[in-house]
Every structure is written in C-alpha cells, then in structure tokens.
Amino acid sequence: MTTRIFKYTLERFGAHSLPVPREATFLSVQSQGTAIVLWFAVNDEDMAATGRTFLGVVTGGEVPDGCEYLGTVQLQGGVFVVHLVREFDH
C-alpha cells in the first residue's frame, strides 16, 4: 500500500468543493503565493475522489455549525487572515 501527498489549491475565500478522497488524511494548510493550499495524504487504494467542502472564513466571520477547524493562513504579509474549516459530510 502506497501513500502519496497531494496538494489542493483554493483561489478565493468562501466555500469550495474539492475532489479530495473521503479517506484522505489532512496534513497542512498554508499560503503559497496568493493562494491557500491544503495538503492531504492519500492511500493508493482510496484514490476515488469525492467532493468535500471547505470554507475560508475571515476573522469575525460566521462559521456554520458542524465544521472542523483546520488552520489559519495569512496572505499578503498578514493583510488578509483566513481561517479554514471543513464541513462534515451529512
């Protein structure tokens, strides 16, 4: 069984549906240039992608119930601060 690390990029704030496999393990969220980037460890046997929803929330913004906090990213030298959360599957 082989595990690979994949990168997914968010280009803007708000809600994003990304094709992340359901069994993928979240590793990190950071800024890369002007984008918000998430890294996941994915087992080769679990490569089937499903839509998972992630939200970029500004400080003071509303976080819907049932979300998991993943991390905070500063963009443009700290001018913009975004808190990333993942919605749980319903």
Side-chain angles (χ1 to χ4, degrees):
M1 175 172 17
T2 302
T3 299
R4 301 177 192 278
I5 296 176
F6 287 95
K7 168 174 116 172
Y8 300 86
T9 303
L10 305 179
E11 297 294 342
R12 55 185 168 77
F13 305 136
H16 307 275
S17 180
L18 298 176
V20 178
R22 184 172 302 280
E23 299 302 321
T25 302
F26 171 75
L27 299 175
S28 181
V29 58
Q30 298 180 32
S31 62
Q32 188 174 44
T34 59
I36 299 169
V37 180
L38 298 90
W39 284 270
F40 287 85
V42 180
N43 181 309
D44 277 350
E45 296 175 1
D46 299 322
M47 293 294 290
T50 60
R52 291 170 70 178
T53 302
F54 299 87
L55 302 172
V57 180
V58 296
T59 301
E62 184 177 333
V63 177
D65 290 338
C67 287
E68 175 187 17
Y69 171 79
L70 298 177
T72 297
V73 175
Q74 296 185 38
L75 300 169
Q76 296 181 351
V79 173
F80 296 106
V81 178
V82 179
H83 310 281
L84 193 72
V85 297
R86 177 177 65 197
E87 288 186 344
F88 287 107
D89 297 329
H90 299 286

